[in-house]
Amino acid sequence: METLVFVFLACLASVIVAAPQLGQQQDRPPHIAIIRDDRQDFGDGNFIYEFVSENGIVVTVLGTPGSRGQSNIQGSYRFPLPDGTFATVLYVADENGYRPESDLIPTTPPVPDHAQEQIRVAEEQRRQGVVWDQRGFRVNRK
């Protein structure tokens, strides 16, 4: 019986020693102070919000009532990148959706000249009433 109690206590001690200490979290991100957090709601659908943290994150928002009951928002946000520079995004969110602008947002490459010519020809054929069947053959010949 003494051996069993000794083994139990040895196992319990091993678990306690191996467990992380209470209040200590592993891989916890550093604390970042909030420098400014200003919010104004005027009660009529208009509002202003500005947030700044010590690591350079900045959020600015201006809200106004929209024509369809939504809030129209113009704003920007900035955050640090791993290389030490900052990314900035300007945006509008309204009846027409969310429209961000930033150097970081990929843009579509220009349409090549040969593709523009194909589009022009297809539009001309459409104006002339040209119709194609499911196999790609022209149905009407004028």
Side-chain angles (χ1 to χ4, degrees):
M1 179 71 172
E2 290 177 10
T3 306
L4 184 58
V5 171
F6 177 75
V7 170
F8 176 75
L9 291 176
C11 290
L12 184 60
S14 298
V15 169
I16 291 172
V17 171
Q21 299 299 314
L22 292 177
Q24 294 180 355
Q25 294 181 358
Q26 304 298 323
D27 301 323
R28 186 174 183 183
H31 176 75
I32 298 170
I34 305 304
I35 297 172
R36 185 170 56 232
D37 186 357
D38 293 331
R39 302 167 193 239
Q40 295 180 25
D41 185 346
F42 301 103
D44 58 358
N46 292 292
F47 62 91
I48 299 171
Y49 171 75
E50 187 170 24
F51 170 91
V52 180
S53 68
E54 72 177 341
N55 67 344
I57 295 174
V58 177
V59 178
T60 304
V61 175
L62 172 65
T64 58
S67 64
R68 298 182 185 163
Q70 81 287 350
S71 291
N72 287 347
I73 299 174
Q74 290 183 321
S76 65
Y77 52 92
R78 181 183 95 158
F79 55 93
L81 296 172
D83 66 0
T85 62
F86 287 87
T88 301
V89 177
L90 306 173
Y91 67 92
V92 173
D94 58 15
E95 296 91 354
N96 300 312
Y98 175 73
R99 297 181 309 280
E101 296 178 15
S102 174
D103 292 340
L104 296 176
I105 298 173
T107 58
T108 57
V111 178
D113 291 339
H114 71 278
Q116 288 180 12
E117 176 62 18
Q118 290 174 331
I119 293 168
R120 189 196 62 73
V121 168
E123 288 172 350
E124 179 62 30
Q125 290 175 337
R126 199 172 298 120
R127 275 193 295 279
Q128 295 173 1
V130 175
V131 179
W132 306 88
D133 68 12
Q134 293 177 349
R135 294 178 291 174
F137 293 103
R138 188 172 176 165
V139 175
N140 58 346
R141 296 192 183 270
K142 292 186 179 183

